[in-house]
Amino acid sequence: MTTVYVPRDSAARSVGADEVALAVLAEAELRGADVTLVRNGSRGMLWLEPLVEVATPQGRVAYGPVRADDVASLFDAGLLEGGAHALALGPTESHEWLARQNRLAFARVGVVDPLSTDDFLAHGGLAGLRAALAMPPADVVEAVVGSGLRGRGGAGFPTGIKWRTVAEADGPLKFVCCNADEGDSGTFADRMLLEGDPFALLEGMAVAAHAVGATEGYVYVRSEYPDAVATLRSAVELARAAGWLGEDVLCSGLTFDIEVRVGAGAYICGEETSMLESIEGRRGTVRPKPPIPALSGLFGRPTVVNNVLSFASVPAVLTGGPASYAALGTGRSRGTQVFQLAGNVARGGIVETEFGLTLRELVEGYGGGTASGRPVRAVQVGGPLGAYHPADGLDVRLDYEELASVGGMLGHGGVVVFDDTADMGAQARFAMEFCAVESCGKCTPCRVGAVRGVEVIDAILHGPSEERAGQAALLEDLCELMADGSLCAMGGLTPQPVRSVLRHFGEDLGLTPVASRDGT
Amino acid sequence: MSGQEWSAETVAGIVREHAHLRGPLLPVLHAVQERIGWIPPDAVPVIAHELNLSRADVHGVVTFYADFRTEPPGRTVVGVCRGEACQSRGGRDLEAHAQDALGVPFGGTTQDGEVTLDQVFCLGNCALPPSVTVDGRLHGRVDAATFDRLLAEAR
Ligand SMILES: Cc1cc2nc3c(=O)[nH]c(=O)nc-3n(C[C@H](O)[C@H](O)[C@H](O)COP(=O)(O)O)c2cc1C
Ligand code: SF4
Ligand code: FES
């Protein structure tokens, strides 16, 4: 019996993994070969999807990208023994893309069968939760504080501090909420974890529940991710049946259960207070803070809100110890970050490494430059609210503080590459248009400002050239107003991509770049 | 897409199935749309009554979220990603092609009632752009020719 792996990750399926899986089964049957097909998550080498792996006595061997009509020739070449073929990539783990990474949150993604509880346990699953349950809750909180783990959803707030606030809040009912809204363009790590290792999230949330004294959990998943929703729902049922959720989790006395909620196509519901409103059944408008959700969150109760990757990073903190987690990284950015390399890039996918690499290492080293083969013009980091970095600015180190120092942000770790055909004036306009479409409407600087922003950029692009400088000054003013006057980061950060275009790509707006005017 | 004929009893039944949830409105609306294909205006007072909310509250929620339809969609629903990663690989051309090929703007349904074209902002497939969905099924690296083929298969 030979095990063949064909991912069921939706990115792999989007380029034909289901057809390949069927072809593998059909070909095996035709040849009377005894094959077990496992639909694993993706290894995150997305340019090689569908990536087929075969378990051999020497370990797993990879082939890719495989199309359904390659499958017969793969069998001819001895696929089941790891035979040579034009699509052969060698032992999966020693592929240079993977071998250089340090995967903690993604350790099992692509490796295991996502819905096999046995596989999860065989690959270190529940070790973090078991360690946590053996400790008093306050010690778990202090371990997370000591690890230096910062929220991976965007704002980078220290996770342990948030947990401590909830733990110290009074109340018989507390919640743990996972933000799986992942609305940023260029980001897909949450989705891949939900599809590739959903139990990891449940484990992290159960640790949080024990640490803060919560009994109920919600995962809010965006509706654009139907595969992730289905996998997660199955995982919750399996975990419940295995005694990992529900009453008396792992016979520890902890009661904690999780419900999966689906969003309805609103970017703003990724903002944590909008997400809470949405779970409560209301329009996803932003709540003013204070009160912070840690003290008055879901249904007014103390609530932990963390991102998928924040929760998925917690088990490693407990198994390896906070010191070893904190030893990874640079400056105040500790541990590993799951970068998502996307857009016009030759080799796109997931790169999990400790903080400290530069944008150039990511885009040129891992990414191999653009997919089109043309020069890189701009790289947007951190989603639609993140800055566009120019080609000569790629040596910036990817950590929270360094990116902020050049007018950017890490956000959720999405990195989108553009080649020299990109029209940066159009990208600036899109930033405002996106904000106008997705604004929750609660405050004027964002609701009205974004609409005005589109109008002003249109005036710069298409209006009389003698008015261009004046309109540009107006745009600068508008950006300042939105940044200073918006209630949340939707309106507050939309100026960031716009200003980065003004600063670095002003010629696309018919303007002299500011950089050459004042030397910054 | 659209399934069952709507009736007040169906909708009331759906609400009761979800009544045990904390904050059941979104799950209820998703379930109504899944079964009926859209949220008929006449369903709003039924949902409001069953959940002890005002009609305005329910209407406000239905109209806030892009997913909820207040008109029946076409038999096939196509979503084209307008996110930046897709833009970087020809997504803007694909957006234009999709609207031309179907002869409707985003949000529109073809005259024959066959196809509804939606804009979406990121499908989480940003390393294999541009991306579209056809009846919820994700496709990556889609160019104009692939788009036409997917559409022909769906029609
Ligand atoms: C407009 C906007 C969109 C956001 N979208 C997301 C999102 O999709 N996922 C996420 O985890 N956090 C998102 N955030 C950040 C959340 O508000 C919150 O900081 C985060 O979920 C906290 O979890 P963490 O500390 O683990 O990062 C968004 C924030 C804003 C202002
Ligand atoms: S900045 Fe925009 S999204 Fe945020 S609260 Fe104001 S209107 Fe809503
Ligand atoms: S930007 Fe199109 S799939 Fe993410």
Side-chain angles (χ1 to χ4, degrees):
Chain A
M1 199 257 318
T2 312
T3 306
V4 177
Y5 297 85
V6 180
R8 56 184 243 156
D9 176 274
S10 51
R13 295 181 63 214
S14 83
V15 288
D18 287 350
E19 292 75 7
V20 171
L22 286 175
V24 167
L25 287 176
E27 202 62 39
E29 170 141 5
L30 200 69
R31 297 173 192 239
D34 188 7
V35 162
T36 304
L37 184 72
V38 172
R39 302 298 303 270
N40 54 336
S42 167
R43 295 277 190 163
M45 301 189 281
L46 292 171
W47 78 99
L48 294 174
E49 292 293 358
L51 182 96
V52 173
E53 289 177 82
V54 183
T56 73
Q58 291 78 43
R60 280 158 73 161
V61 175
Y63 298 83
V66 176
R67 290 172 313 161
D69 49 18
D70 295 322
V71 169
S73 80
L74 280 166
F75 272 81
D76 288 343
L79 172 76
L80 301 183
E81 293 79 45
H85 187 278
L87 298 175
L89 300 164
T92 319
E93 307 276 352
S94 31
H95 192 287
E96 49 128 3
W97 167 281
L98 275 181
R100 283 189 280 166
Q101 300 190 25
N102 184 5
R103 291 195 167 183
L104 297 177
F106 262 61
R108 278 180 300 265
V109 177
V111 177
V112 297
D113 177 344
L115 290 175
S116 162
T117 49
D118 289 343
D119 228 5
F120 181 68
L121 294 175
H123 287 84
L126 294 192
L129 178 57
R130 290 209 164 93
L133 292 172
M135 293 156 71
D139 291 2
V140 178
V141 170
E142 290 320 306
V144 177
V145 173
S147 73
L149 174 65
R150 293 166 72 175
R152 298 295 191 241
F157 188 82
T159 302
I161 306 291
K162 190 183 283 183
W163 289 18
R164 192 192 277 158
T165 310
V166 180
E168 288 172 356
D170 282 331
L173 180 61
K174 298 179 186 177
F175 295 104
V176 173
C177 286
C178 174
N179 187 340
D181 200 59
E182 192 165 61
D184 285 0
S185 157
T187 64
F188 44 86
D190 293 352
R191 178 189 63 66
M192 287 186 59
L193 190 111
L194 293 171
E195 292 183 17
D197 189 17
F199 296 127
L201 170 62
L202 307 185
E203 180 178 0
M205 290 178 72
V207 171
H210 171 63
V212 307
T215 49
E216 292 184 35
Y218 288 85
V219 187
Y220 186 88
V221 192
R222 63 202 301 260
S223 61
E224 290 85 346
Y225 289 178
D227 291 10
V229 170
T231 305
L232 184 62
R233 287 211 159 117
S234 304
V236 167
E237 274 172 36
L238 290 164
R240 224 177 259 146
W244 305 350
L245 289 176
E247 279 170 29
D248 203 14
V249 170
L250 296 176
C251 306
S252 67
L254 172 70
T255 293
F256 180 63
D257 211 335
I258 290 176
E259 187 186 321
V260 178
R261 280 293 171 95
V262 180
Y267 176 78
I268 194 57
C269 289
E271 196 282 336
E272 57 185 358
T273 62
S274 293
M275 179 187 84
L276 298 174
E277 290 286 305
S278 187
I279 298 175
E280 291 180 17
R282 282 196 282 273
R283 296 162 67 93
T285 56
V286 173
R287 295 179 188 167
K289 290 187 236 180
I292 53 171
L295 296 174
S296 176
L298 192 61
F299 300 103
R301 310 290 183 156
T303 303
V304 169
V305 179
N306 276 128
N307 172 256
V308 176
L309 297 179
S310 311
F311 285 120
S313 299
V314 162
V317 167
L318 292 160
T319 48
S324 75
Y325 194 83
L328 303 172
T330 168
R332 286 175 41 224
S333 303
R334 313 310 314 172
T336 62
Q337 168 68 30
V338 182
F339 296 102
Q340 300 126 83
L341 195 46
N344 193 338
V345 66
R347 307 195 298 179
I350 290 286
V351 177
E352 183 176 2
T353 109
E354 51 200 89
F355 284 99
L357 86 170
T358 65
L359 188 52
R360 189 179 304 284
E361 285 163 345
L362 197 58
V363 171
E364 293 177 359
Y366 282 95
T370 62
S372 59
R374 303 182 63 94
V376 172
R377 174 118 195 263
V379 182
Q380 188 178 31
V381 181
L385 311 177
Y388 287 98
H389 299 260
D392 62 9
L394 299 187
D395 292 309
V396 62
R397 206 172 280 290
L398 292 164
D399 76 37
Y400 293 101
E401 278 72 28
E402 276 227 18
L403 281 166
S405 76
V406 298
M409 66 173 191
L410 179 63
H412 189 50
V415 173
V416 177
V417 181
F418 290 77
D419 74 9
D420 64 347
T421 63
D423 175 351
M424 301 308 294
Q427 296 310 122
R429 183 187 191 279
F430 178 79
M432 286 291 186
E433 186 191 350
F434 181 73
C435 183
V437 172
E438 296 290 359
S439 167
C440 85
K442 188 111 165 183
C443 64
T444 321
C446 167
R447 186 185 64 244
V448 180
V451 176
R452 276 298 289 141
V454 174
E455 290 167 3
V456 175
I457 293 174
D458 279 341
I460 295 174
L461 289 171
H462 309 297
S465 59
E466 63 275 14
E467 286 173 19
R468 201 173 285 148
Q471 295 290 349
L474 193 60
L475 183 60
E476 298 269 12
D477 268 3
L478 185 64
C479 283
E480 190 174 321
L481 177 87
M482 288 175 72
D484 294 347
S486 295
L487 181 57
C488 86
M490 176 84 218
L493 291 177
T494 290
Q496 196 162 256
V498 177
R499 282 173 157 160
S500 70
V501 170
L502 283 167
R503 188 178 312 132
H504 302 295
F505 307 98
E507 64 273 25
D508 284 21
L509 289 164
L511 306 165
T512 322
V514 180
S516 60
R517 271 190 271 147
D518 64 7
T520 49
Chain B
M1 276 286 280
S2 41
Q4 233 158 295
E5 278 293 300
W6 110 270
S7 76
E9 294 76 62
T10 319
V11 171
I14 291 171
V15 177
R16 280 183 218 121
E17 282 166 34
H18 293 85
H20 63 285
L21 300 176
R22 292 186 193 270
L25 185 52
L26 255 67
V28 164
L29 293 174
H30 274 304
V32 169
Q33 182 151 303
E34 198 167 293
R35 278 203 232 154
I36 298 169
W38 59 302
I39 317 253
D42 291 344
V44 169
V46 181
I47 295 168
H49 175 79
E50 294 287 329
L51 290 178
N52 203 15
L53 296 167
S54 77
R55 292 173 188 204
D57 281 335
V58 176
H59 176 78
V61 169
V62 170
T63 50
F64 180 83
Y65 294 95
D67 282 2
F68 298 133
R69 302 182 187 283
T70 49
E71 283 168 23
R75 221 172 39 81
T76 296
V77 177
V78 175
V80 176
C81 178
R82 294 192 59 207
E84 285 91 340
C86 288
Q87 289 168 12
S88 77
R89 285 293 273 156
R92 287 173 187 269
D93 291 341
L94 187 66
E95 289 171 32
H97 174 79
Q99 296 177 78
D100 280 355
L102 290 168
V104 291
F106 284 125
T109 299
T110 53
Q111 213 132 45
D112 58 8
E114 283 288 300
V115 185
T116 296
L117 180 65
D118 285 341
Q119 62 174 356
V120 286
F121 292 97
C122 193
L123 296 160
N125 199 29
C126 325
L128 299 170
S131 296
V132 305
T133 56
V134 180
D135 290 334
R137 177 72 204 265
L138 180 64
H139 300 271
R141 287 192 183 127
V142 178
D143 58 13
T146 326
F147 183 86
D148 293 344
R149 179 173 56 75
L150 291 171
L151 208 65
E153 283 168 11
R155 271 191 184 225

